Amino acid sequence: MGSKTKKRVVLPTRPAPPTVEQILEDVRGAPVGDPVFIALAPEDSAGLSGRTEDPEAQREQLYQQSRAYVAANQWLQQAGNELRQRCEDLRQARQELEKDIGQVKQMVLPGAVGASLG
């Protein structure tokens, strides 16, 4: 009586993930002082985050930020590729599991499988 009478809560659907173009647009539009870029910057360049009047120091700061951005971008691309591969592996495992479950059902309950499908 208790748990069988409870209604199931219907959760709202999740929004679609952003496209690569949307992500790149967000990254390009982010300010230089964005916490993500500051957190990923090497610790030795932390002292360069303040504005300086020296053009050479500004160039070095931009260079170091660019290197950090490129390294982070490469890491993100590798992580994305790995996630895509793992996702595909999971899809294949799911298909194999569903196939195996069907075979087990046919061996154990040959008449019940046809009844449950119809």
Side-chain angles (χ1 to χ4, degrees), residues 6 12 14 20-21 28 33 35 46 53 60 63-64 66 72 85 87-88 93 106-107:
K6 290 183 180 179
R14 293 182 179 172
V20 173
E21 291 80 21
R28 289 182 187 124
E53 297 298 320
E60 180 64 22
Y63 173 73
Q64 293 301 331
S66 299
Q85 181 60 47
C87 187
E88 184 57 35
Q106 285 179 347
M107 288 190 301

Side-chain angles (χ1 to χ4, degrees), residues 41-60:
E43 290 184 20
D44 60 338
S45 67
L48 298 174
S49 62
R51 291 282 183 204
T52 179
E53 297 298 320
D54 183 16
E56 185 62 31
Q58 285 180 342
R59 278 194 291 277
E60 180 64 22

